[in-house]
Amino acid sequence: MGGDIVRTAEEMYNYCLDNEFGQGFNKKWGEKHFGIIEKNLLPDEEVLMTFIGVHNYQSMTKHDGNYAYAITNKRVIMAQKKLMGENLKIVLLKNLNDISTSTGMLMGTITFDTIKETFNVMVDKKQTNNIMAKIHEVVFN
């Protein structure tokens, strides 16, 4: 992100659009999802990259729907605004074992392996490698 600190929901959503790091819902919903992340950032936490994907993807009919993701200097934050309520999941970077990808005909999956669980995030096939490259850049460098 070139040293610019991205902290607002709008900035996080625009980062996804500018870098082609996600799709699947409109600006209003995107900013609602990222709004949950914005209000849960720690004062000294820096957002390193954001993306949008389908959480806990197992098949086209079995998943948890669209989520916003932010990787910060401390955590991976996953958020979903629902009509009634919201979902928020946080994984400390130190609890992240590995991140891998696989691609199919149209879609790609990014798999996060943590100390407690493994979860899949489905993204557009064309975006999979770009998102993965940026994740590795900010998490493992």
Side-chain angles (χ1 to χ4, degrees):
M1 278 190 247
D4 295 333
I5 296 177
V6 175
R7 290 199 61 92
T8 69
E10 182 179 13
E11 289 169 334
M12 287 184 249
Y13 181 73
N14 287 336
Y15 176 84
C16 289
L17 295 182
D18 292 346
N19 290 281
E20 298 183 356
F21 285 173
Q23 60 188 30
F25 48 79
N26 62 35
K27 181 178 174 71
K28 180 180 174 186
W29 274 101
E31 289 182 4
K32 283 183 181 184
H33 294 315
F34 282 114
I36 299 166
I37 294 172
E38 178 184 349
K39 71 181 181 185
N40 283 283
L41 288 173
L42 302 171
D44 63 340
E45 194 165 21
E46 183 180 345
V47 176
L48 303 175
M49 68 96 56
T50 61
F51 66 100
I52 298 165
V54 176
H55 193 71
N56 277 336
Y57 178 79
Q58 295 174 30
S59 71
M60 292 305 274
T61 57
K62 192 169 183 181
H63 55 75
D64 292 344
N66 284 321
Y67 270 64
Y69 299 84
I71 297 182
T72 75
N73 57 328
K74 300 172 183 279
R75 313 178 288 174
V76 177
I77 306 171
M78 302 152 266
Q80 179 189 51
K81 179 70 175 163
K82 301 188 302 184
L83 289 175
M84 302 296 276
E86 56 190 42
N87 289 323
L88 177 69
K89 299 177 185 199
I90 296 171
V91 174
L92 297 175
L93 289 182
K94 68 180 184 179
N95 293 338
L96 196 56
N97 292 328
D98 195 23
I99 306 168
S100 60
T101 61
S102 62
T103 55
M105 292 267 297
L106 300 172
M107 305 312 260
T109 304
I110 300 171
T111 302
F112 289 80
D113 179 22
T114 74
I115 288 175
K116 292 184 180 179
E117 66 179 323
T118 299
F119 57 90
N120 295 319
V121 181
M122 184 193 68
V123 295
D124 183 87
K125 181 179 179 179
K126 294 181 290 192
Q127 299 169 351
T128 307
N129 291 334
N130 294 337
I131 293 171
M132 184 66 165
K134 187 64 177 179
I135 291 171
H136 272 275
E137 177 187 320
V138 300
V139 172
F140 298 116
N141 285 343

